[in-house]
mmCIF file of all heavy atoms in Angstrom:
data_model
loop_
_atom_site.group_PDB
_atom_site.id
_atom_site.type_symbol
_atom_site.label_atom_id
_atom_site.label_comp_id
_atom_site.label_asym_id
_atom_site.label_seq_id
_atom_site.Cartn_x
_atom_site.Cartn_y
_atom_site.Cartn_z
ATOM 1 N N TYR A 1 14.885 -8.544 -12.582
ATOM 2 C CA TYR A 1 15.388 -7.581 -11.604
ATOM 3 C C TYR A 1 14.675 -6.237 -11.755
ATOM 4 O O TYR A 1 14.282 -5.618 -10.771
ATOM 5 C CB TYR A 1 16.894 -7.387 -11.735
ATOM 6 C CG TYR A 1 17.714 -8.577 -11.331
ATOM 7 C CD1 TYR A 1 18.928 -8.848 -11.939
ATOM 8 C CD2 TYR A 1 17.294 -9.445 -10.332
ATOM 9 C CE1 TYR A 1 19.694 -9.937 -11.571
ATOM 10 C CE2 TYR A 1 18.048 -10.541 -9.956
ATOM 11 C CZ TYR A 1 19.249 -10.779 -10.585
ATOM 12 O OH TYR A 1 19.996 -11.859 -10.214
ATOM 13 N N ARG A 2 14.528 -5.779 -12.994
ATOM 14 C CA ARG A 2 13.863 -4.491 -13.235
ATOM 15 C C ARG A 2 12.401 -4.539 -12.799
ATOM 16 O O ARG A 2 11.905 -3.613 -12.152
ATOM 17 C CB ARG A 2 13.963 -4.106 -14.710
ATOM 18 C CG ARG A 2 13.431 -2.695 -14.967
ATOM 19 C CD ARG A 2 13.508 -2.314 -16.400
ATOM 20 N NE ARG A 2 12.568 -3.177 -17.124
ATOM 21 C CZ ARG A 2 12.470 -3.233 -18.419
ATOM 22 N NH1 ARG A 2 13.269 -2.512 -19.174
ATOM 23 N NH2 ARG A 2 11.608 -4.021 -18.997
ATOM 24 N N THR A 3 11.718 -5.623 -13.125
ATOM 25 C CA THR A 3 10.316 -5.759 -12.735
ATOM 26 C C THR A 3 10.190 -5.869 -11.217
ATOM 27 O O THR A 3 9.270 -5.297 -10.622
ATOM 28 C CB THR A 3 9.696 -6.993 -13.416
ATOM 29 O OG1 THR A 3 9.927 -6.908 -14.817
ATOM 30 C CG2 THR A 3 8.213 -7.062 -13.172
ATOM 31 N N GLY A 4 11.110 -6.564 -10.583
ATOM 32 C CA GLY A 4 11.103 -6.641 -9.126
ATOM 33 C C GLY A 4 11.341 -5.284 -8.486
ATOM 34 O O GLY A 4 10.717 -4.942 -7.473
ATOM 35 N N TYR A 5 12.231 -4.505 -9.073
ATOM 36 C CA TYR A 5 12.508 -3.146 -8.600
ATOM 37 C C TYR A 5 11.253 -2.289 -8.686
ATOM 38 O O TYR A 5 10.879 -1.605 -7.730
ATOM 39 C CB TYR A 5 13.639 -2.575 -9.452
ATOM 40 C CG TYR A 5 14.059 -1.173 -9.136
ATOM 41 C CD1 TYR A 5 14.893 -0.912 -8.054
ATOM 42 C CD2 TYR A 5 13.652 -0.114 -9.931
ATOM 43 C CE1 TYR A 5 15.303 0.386 -7.772
ATOM 44 C CE2 TYR A 5 14.058 1.183 -9.664
ATOM 45 C CZ TYR A 5 14.871 1.420 -8.580
ATOM 46 O OH TYR A 5 15.277 2.708 -8.301
ATOM 47 N N HIS A 6 10.574 -2.340 -9.834
ATOM 48 C CA HIS A 6 9.336 -1.573 -10.001
ATOM 49 C C HIS A 6 8.244 -2.071 -9.055
ATOM 50 O O HIS A 6 7.484 -1.270 -8.498
ATOM 51 C CB HIS A 6 8.856 -1.638 -11.446
ATOM 52 C CG HIS A 6 9.751 -0.921 -12.392
ATOM 53 N ND1 HIS A 6 9.911 -1.309 -13.708
ATOM 54 C CD2 HIS A 6 10.555 0.157 -12.236
ATOM 55 C CE1 HIS A 6 10.762 -0.503 -14.305
ATOM 56 N NE2 HIS A 6 11.166 0.398 -13.437
ATOM 57 N N SER A 7 8.163 -3.364 -8.870
ATOM 58 C CA SER A 7 7.164 -3.927 -7.957
ATOM 59 C C SER A 7 7.420 -3.498 -6.523
ATOM 60 O O SER A 7 6.479 -3.206 -5.778
ATOM 61 C CB SER A 7 7.159 -5.449 -8.048
ATOM 62 O OG SER A 7 6.788 -5.866 -9.336
ATOM 63 N N PHE A 8 8.682 -3.454 -6.130
ATOM 64 C CA PHE A 8 9.019 -3.009 -4.776
ATOM 65 C C PHE A 8 8.551 -1.573 -4.550
ATOM 66 O O PHE A 8 7.949 -1.257 -3.527
ATOM 67 C CB PHE A 8 10.521 -3.119 -4.531
ATOM 68 C CG PHE A 8 10.947 -2.509 -3.234
ATOM 69 C CD1 PHE A 8 10.681 -3.149 -2.034
ATOM 70 C CD2 PHE A 8 11.608 -1.287 -3.213
ATOM 71 C CE1 PHE A 8 11.067 -2.583 -0.828
ATOM 72 C CE2 PHE A 8 11.988 -0.722 -2.016
ATOM 73 C CZ PHE A 8 11.721 -1.359 -0.822
ATOM 74 N N PHE A 9 8.827 -0.699 -5.513
ATOM 75 C CA PHE A 9 8.403 0.688 -5.347
ATOM 76 C C PHE A 9 6.884 0.819 -5.416
ATOM 77 O O PHE A 9 6.310 1.707 -4.776
ATOM 78 C CB PHE A 9 9.103 1.603 -6.350
ATOM 79 C CG PHE A 9 10.471 1.963 -5.885
ATOM 80 C CD1 PHE A 9 11.585 1.407 -6.473
ATOM 81 C CD2 PHE A 9 10.659 2.831 -4.817
ATOM 82 C CE1 PHE A 9 12.851 1.711 -6.021
ATOM 83 C CE2 PHE A 9 11.924 3.142 -4.356
ATOM 84 C CZ PHE A 9 13.025 2.591 -4.959
ATOM 85 N N LEU A 10 6.231 -0.055 -6.142
ATOM 86 C CA LEU A 10 4.772 -0.069 -6.148
ATOM 87 C C LEU A 10 4.232 -0.466 -4.775
ATOM 88 O O LEU A 10 3.259 0.113 -4.287
ATOM 89 C CB LEU A 10 4.255 -1.016 -7.230
ATOM 90 C CG LEU A 10 2.762 -1.047 -7.484
ATOM 91 C CD1 LEU A 10 2.210 0.339 -7.803
ATOM 92 C CD2 LEU A 10 2.456 -2.007 -8.630
ATOM 93 N N VAL A 11 4.881 -1.425 -4.113
ATOM 94 C CA VAL A 11 4.490 -1.804 -2.749
ATOM 95 C C VAL A 11 4.656 -0.609 -1.810
ATOM 96 O O VAL A 11 3.755 -0.304 -1.014
ATOM 97 C CB VAL A 11 5.315 -3.002 -2.233
ATOM 98 C CG1 VAL A 11 5.127 -3.192 -0.737
ATOM 99 C CG2 VAL A 11 4.947 -4.263 -2.963
ATOM 100 N N VAL A 12 5.783 0.075 -1.894
ATOM 101 C CA VAL A 12 6.029 1.233 -1.040
ATOM 102 C C VAL A 12 4.983 2.309 -1.289
ATOM 103 O O VAL A 12 4.413 2.881 -0.340
ATOM 104 C CB VAL A 12 7.456 1.788 -1.253
ATOM 105 C CG1 VAL A 12 7.647 3.115 -0.543
ATOM 106 C CG2 VAL A 12 8.491 0.777 -0.786
ATOM 107 N N LEU A 13 4.690 2.591 -2.550
ATOM 108 C CA LEU A 13 3.686 3.595 -2.893
ATOM 109 C C LEU A 13 2.310 3.205 -2.346
ATOM 110 O O LEU A 13 1.608 4.031 -1.752
ATOM 111 C CB LEU A 13 3.624 3.787 -4.407
ATOM 112 C CG LEU A 13 2.567 4.772 -4.901
ATOM 113 C CD1 LEU A 13 2.926 6.185 -4.474
ATOM 114 C CD2 LEU A 13 2.433 4.672 -6.405
ATOM 115 N N LEU A 14 1.934 1.954 -2.532
ATOM 116 C CA LEU A 14 0.636 1.502 -2.035
ATOM 117 C C LEU A 14 0.568 1.546 -0.512
ATOM 118 O O LEU A 14 -0.479 1.877 0.062
ATOM 119 C CB LEU A 14 0.331 0.094 -2.543
ATOM 120 C CG LEU A 14 0.025 -0.020 -4.030
ATOM 121 C CD1 LEU A 14 -0.092 -1.476 -4.440
ATOM 122 C CD2 LEU A 14 -1.234 0.729 -4.384
ATOM 123 N N LEU A 15 1.657 1.210 0.169
ATOM 124 C CA LEU A 15 1.691 1.309 1.629
ATOM 125 C C LEU A 15 1.538 2.757 2.095
ATOM 126 O O LEU A 15 0.824 3.037 3.064
ATOM 127 C CB LEU A 15 2.973 0.710 2.188
ATOM 128 C CG LEU A 15 3.044 -0.817 2.198
ATOM 129 C CD1 LEU A 15 4.451 -1.277 2.570
ATOM 130 C CD2 LEU A 15 2.020 -1.402 3.148
ATOM 131 N N LEU A 16 2.193 3.686 1.402
ATOM 132 C CA LEU A 16 2.061 5.097 1.760
ATOM 133 C C LEU A 16 0.637 5.602 1.524
ATOM 134 O O LEU A 16 0.076 6.312 2.370
ATOM 135 C CB LEU A 16 3.060 5.946 0.974
ATOM 136 C CG LEU A 16 4.522 5.790 1.376
ATOM 137 C CD1 LEU A 16 5.429 6.524 0.399
ATOM 138 C CD2 LEU A 16 4.745 6.280 2.788
ATOM 139 N N VAL A 17 0.055 5.234 0.393
ATOM 140 C CA VAL A 17 -1.328 5.626 0.110
ATOM 141 C C VAL A 17 -2.264 5.010 1.141
ATOM 142 O O VAL A 17 -3.178 5.677 1.648
ATOM 143 C CB VAL A 17 -1.723 5.228 -1.328
ATOM 144 C CG1 VAL A 17 -3.226 5.371 -1.549
ATOM 145 C CG2 VAL A 17 -0.956 6.059 -2.341
ATOM 146 N N ASN A 18 -2.036 3.746 1.473
ATOM 147 C CA ASN A 18 -2.867 3.086 2.470
ATOM 148 C C ASN A 18 -2.736 3.772 3.830
ATOM 149 O O ASN A 18 -3.730 3.960 4.535
ATOM 150 C CB ASN A 18 -2.494 1.608 2.593
ATOM 151 C CG ASN A 18 -3.392 0.874 3.553
ATOM 152 O OD1 ASN A 18 -4.609 0.908 3.430
ATOM 153 N ND2 ASN A 18 -2.795 0.209 4.517
ATOM 154 N N HIS A 19 -1.523 4.143 4.191
ATOM 155 C CA HIS A 19 -1.321 4.847 5.462
ATOM 156 C C HIS A 19 -2.073 6.179 5.462
ATOM 157 O O HIS A 19 -2.703 6.546 6.453
ATOM 158 C CB HIS A 19 0.161 5.075 5.715
ATOM 159 C CG HIS A 19 0.424 5.885 6.936
ATOM 160 N ND1 HIS A 19 0.205 5.409 8.207
ATOM 161 C CD2 HIS A 19 0.856 7.164 7.075
ATOM 162 C CE1 HIS A 19 0.490 6.355 9.080
ATOM 163 N NE2 HIS A 19 0.899 7.425 8.411
ATOM 164 N N PHE A 20 -2.003 6.901 4.357
ATOM 165 C CA PHE A 20 -2.711 8.181 4.261
ATOM 166 C C PHE A 20 -4.215 7.972 4.367
ATOM 167 O O PHE A 20 -4.896 8.684 5.103
ATOM 168 C CB PHE A 20 -2.356 8.881 2.942
ATOM 169 C CG PHE A 20 -3.098 10.163 2.737
ATOM 170 C CD1 PHE A 20 -2.732 11.306 3.439
ATOM 171 C CD2 PHE A 20 -4.165 10.229 1.853
ATOM 172 C CE1 PHE A 20 -3.414 12.491 3.254
ATOM 173 C CE2 PHE A 20 -4.847 11.410 1.672
ATOM 174 C CZ PHE A 20 -4.478 12.551 2.369
ATOM 175 N N VAL A 21 -4.736 6.989 3.633
ATOM 176 C CA VAL A 21 -6.183 6.754 3.612
ATOM 177 C C VAL A 21 -6.687 6.240 4.958
ATOM 178 O O VAL A 21 -7.696 6.714 5.474
ATOM 179 C CB VAL A 21 -6.548 5.765 2.474
ATOM 180 C CG1 VAL A 21 -7.981 5.279 2.591
ATOM 181 C CG2 VAL A 21 -6.323 6.406 1.128
ATOM 182 N N THR A 22 -5.976 5.270 5.540
ATOM 183 C CA THR A 22 -6.466 4.670 6.785
ATOM 184 C C THR A 22 -6.055 5.466 8.020
ATOM 185 O O THR A 22 -6.805 5.504 8.990
ATOM 186 C CB THR A 22 -5.968 3.220 6.937
ATOM 187 O OG1 THR A 22 -4.546 3.207 6.909
ATOM 188 C CG2 THR A 22 -6.524 2.339 5.853
ATOM 189 N N GLY A 23 -4.906 6.087 7.989
ATOM 190 C CA GLY A 23 -4.417 6.792 9.166
ATOM 191 C C GLY A 23 -4.857 8.241 9.234
ATOM 192 O O GLY A 23 -5.433 8.688 10.218
ATOM 193 N N VAL A 24 -4.598 8.971 8.168
ATOM 194 C CA VAL A 24 -4.881 10.404 8.160
ATOM 195 C C VAL A 24 -6.365 10.665 7.924
ATOM 196 O O VAL A 24 -6.992 11.447 8.638
ATOM 197 C CB VAL A 24 -4.011 11.121 7.106
ATOM 198 C CG1 VAL A 24 -4.355 12.588 7.004
ATOM 199 C CG2 VAL A 24 -2.534 10.930 7.425
ATOM 200 N N LYS A 25 -6.930 10.013 6.933
ATOM 201 C CA LYS A 25 -8.336 10.236 6.586
ATOM 202 C C LYS A 25 -9.295 9.371 7.401
ATOM 203 O O LYS A 25 -10.493 9.534 7.316
ATOM 204 C CB LYS A 25 -8.565 9.976 5.093
ATOM 205 C CG LYS A 25 -7.871 10.959 4.190
ATOM 206 C CD LYS A 25 -8.448 12.331 4.358
ATOM 207 C CE LYS A 25 -7.813 13.295 3.367
ATOM 208 N NZ LYS A 25 -8.338 14.626 3.497
ATOM 209 N N ASP A 26 -8.754 8.418 8.170
ATOM 210 C CA ASP A 26 -9.557 7.536 9.024
ATOM 211 C C ASP A 26 -10.650 6.814 8.218
ATOM 212 O O ASP A 26 -11.824 6.821 8.592
ATOM 213 C CB ASP A 26 -10.165 8.323 10.186
ATOM 214 C CG ASP A 26 -10.609 7.393 11.297
ATOM 215 O OD1 ASP A 26 -9.968 6.330 11.465
ATOM 216 O OD2 ASP A 26 -11.594 7.721 11.992
ATOM 217 N N PHE A 27 -10.236 6.230 7.100
ATOM 218 C CA PHE A 27 -11.154 5.479 6.243
ATOM 219 C C PHE A 27 -10.625 4.063 6.120
ATOM 220 O O PHE A 27 -9.488 3.854 5.699
ATOM 221 C CB PHE A 27 -11.240 6.134 4.854
ATOM 222 C CG PHE A 27 -12.065 5.356 3.874
ATOM 223 C CD1 PHE A 27 -13.441 5.372 3.946
ATOM 224 C CD2 PHE A 27 -11.458 4.608 2.879
ATOM 225 C CE1 PHE A 27 -14.203 4.660 3.046
ATOM 226 C CE2 PHE A 27 -12.214 3.887 1.971
ATOM 227 C CZ PHE A 27 -13.587 3.914 2.055
ATOM 228 N N GLN A 28 -11.430 3.096 6.477
ATOM 229 C CA GLN A 28 -11.022 1.696 6.364
ATOM 230 C C GLN A 28 -11.665 1.116 5.112
ATOM 231 O O GLN A 28 -12.877 1.126 4.960
ATOM 232 C CB GLN A 28 -11.454 0.906 7.597
ATOM 233 C CG GLN A 28 -10.877 -0.471 7.632
ATOM 234 C CD GLN A 28 -11.203 -1.197 8.934
ATOM 235 O OE1 GLN A 28 -11.873 -0.658 9.798
ATOM 236 N NE2 GLN A 28 -10.728 -2.416 9.040
ATOM 237 N N TRP A 29 -10.852 0.583 4.190
ATOM 238 C CA TRP A 29 -11.355 0.079 2.919
ATOM 239 C C TRP A 29 -11.403 -1.444 2.869
ATOM 240 O O TRP A 29 -11.877 -2.019 1.886
ATOM 241 C CB TRP A 29 -10.539 0.625 1.753
ATOM 242 C CG TRP A 29 -9.074 0.337 1.829
ATOM 243 C CD1 TRP A 29 -8.137 1.088 2.466
ATOM 244 C CD2 TRP A 29 -8.379 -0.769 1.257
ATOM 245 N NE1 TRP A 29 -6.898 0.510 2.328
ATOM 246 C CE2 TRP A 29 -7.016 -0.628 1.584
ATOM 247 C CE3 TRP A 29 -8.772 -1.862 0.499
ATOM 248 C CZ2 TRP A 29 -6.062 -1.542 1.179
ATOM 249 C CZ3 TRP A 29 -7.816 -2.772 0.092
ATOM 250 C CH2 TRP A 29 -6.478 -2.603 0.432
ATOM 251 N N ALA A 30 -10.916 -2.110 3.903
ATOM 252 C CA ALA A 30 -10.965 -3.574 3.979
ATOM 253 C C ALA A 30 -11.385 -3.969 5.387
ATOM 254 O O ALA A 30 -11.368 -3.156 6.318
ATOM 255 C CB ALA A 30 -9.615 -4.178 3.631
ATOM 256 N N GLU A 31 -11.755 -5.244 5.536
ATOM 257 C CA GLU A 31 -12.222 -5.745 6.836
ATOM 258 C C GLU A 31 -11.242 -5.454 7.964
ATOM 259 O O GLU A 31 -11.624 -4.979 9.021
ATOM 260 C CB GLU A 31 -12.432 -7.261 6.764
ATOM 261 C CG GLU A 31 -13.758 -7.685 6.272
ATOM 262 C CD GLU A 31 -13.895 -9.191 6.322
ATOM 263 O OE1 GLU A 31 -12.915 -9.922 6.082
ATOM 264 O OE2 GLU A 31 -15.011 -9.629 6.596
ATOM 265 N N ASP A 32 -9.993 -5.792 7.730
ATOM 266 C CA ASP A 32 -8.970 -5.555 8.735
ATOM 267 C C ASP A 32 -7.625 -5.350 8.051
ATOM 268 O O ASP A 32 -7.513 -5.378 6.828
ATOM 269 C CB ASP A 32 -8.908 -6.705 9.757
ATOM 270 C CG ASP A 32 -8.651 -8.057 9.118
ATOM 271 O OD1 ASP A 32 -8.279 -8.105 7.941
ATOM 272 O OD2 ASP A 32 -8.810 -9.079 9.811
ATOM 273 N N GLY A 33 -6.604 -5.146 8.851
ATOM 274 C CA GLY A 33 -5.279 -4.863 8.313
ATOM 275 C C GLY A 33 -4.685 -5.995 7.495
ATOM 276 O O GLY A 33 -3.935 -5.754 6.550
ATOM 277 N N SER A 34 -5.026 -7.240 7.831
ATOM 278 C CA SER A 34 -4.451 -8.361 7.073
ATOM 279 C C SER A 34 -5.013 -8.414 5.658
ATOM 280 O O SER A 34 -4.291 -8.729 4.713
ATOM 281 C CB SER A 34 -4.696 -9.683 7.802
ATOM 282 O OG SER A 34 -6.068 -9.948 7.906
ATOM 283 N N VAL A 35 -6.283 -8.096 5.484
ATOM 284 C CA VAL A 35 -6.874 -8.073 4.137
ATOM 285 C C VAL A 35 -6.282 -6.910 3.340
ATOM 286 O O VAL A 35 -5.980 -7.051 2.151
ATOM 287 C CB VAL A 35 -8.417 -7.986 4.206
ATOM 288 C CG1 VAL A 35 -9.020 -7.847 2.824
ATOM 289 C CG2 VAL A 35 -8.987 -9.199 4.923
ATOM 290 N N GLU A 36 -6.084 -5.766 3.995
ATOM 291 C CA GLU A 36 -5.435 -4.634 3.328
ATOM 292 C C GLU A 36 -4.047 -5.028 2.833
ATOM 293 O O GLU A 36 -3.677 -4.757 1.696
ATOM 294 C CB GLU A 36 -5.316 -3.447 4.281
ATOM 295 C CG GLU A 36 -6.606 -2.763 4.605
ATOM 296 C CD GLU A 36 -6.446 -1.656 5.625
ATOM 297 O OE1 GLU A 36 -5.303 -1.412 6.091
ATOM 298 O OE2 GLU A 36 -7.465 -1.045 5.975
ATOM 299 N N LEU A 37 -3.284 -5.670 3.710
ATOM 300 C CA LEU A 37 -1.926 -6.071 3.355
ATOM 301 C C LEU A 37 -1.917 -7.092 2.217
ATOM 302 O O LEU A 37 -1.064 -7.025 1.323
ATOM 303 C CB LEU A 37 -1.195 -6.618 4.573
ATOM 304 C CG LEU A 37 0.301 -6.817 4.435
ATOM 305 C CD1 LEU A 37 0.986 -5.508 4.077
ATOM 306 C CD2 LEU A 37 0.881 -7.364 5.713
ATOM 307 N N LEU A 38 -2.867 -8.020 2.228
ATOM 308 C CA LEU A 38 -2.957 -8.988 1.136
ATOM 309 C C LEU A 38 -3.151 -8.284 -0.202
ATOM 310 O O LEU A 38 -2.483 -8.609 -1.190
ATOM 311 C CB LEU A 38 -4.107 -9.963 1.374
ATOM 312 C CG LEU A 38 -3.807 -11.162 2.246
ATOM 313 C CD1 LEU A 38 -5.093 -11.902 2.594
ATOM 314 C CD2 LEU A 38 -2.839 -12.087 1.565
#
């Protein structure tokens, strides 16, 4: 449960960073959105 809790917040953090990098900075780091999500 604790590891799942930490993993969930890691997903949220990575999604926020990805949104900042791809949305605000207009930088694409993967081929498309599905590869980013993977």
Side-chain angles (χ1 to χ4, degrees):
Y1 291 149
R2 187 181 67 188
T3 307
Y5 179 79
H6 292 149
S7 297
F8 172 74
F9 279 106
L10 186 55
V11 168
V12 171
L13 177 68
L14 289 173
L15 285 171
L16 289 172
V17 169
N18 184 54
H19 175 70
F20 177 76
V21 169
T22 58
V24 176
K25 294 294 184 180
D26 198 31
F27 175 76
Q28 189 174 1
W29 57 273
E31 274 184 324
D32 57 13
S34 63
V35 175
E36 289 176 0
L37 192 58
L38 275 170

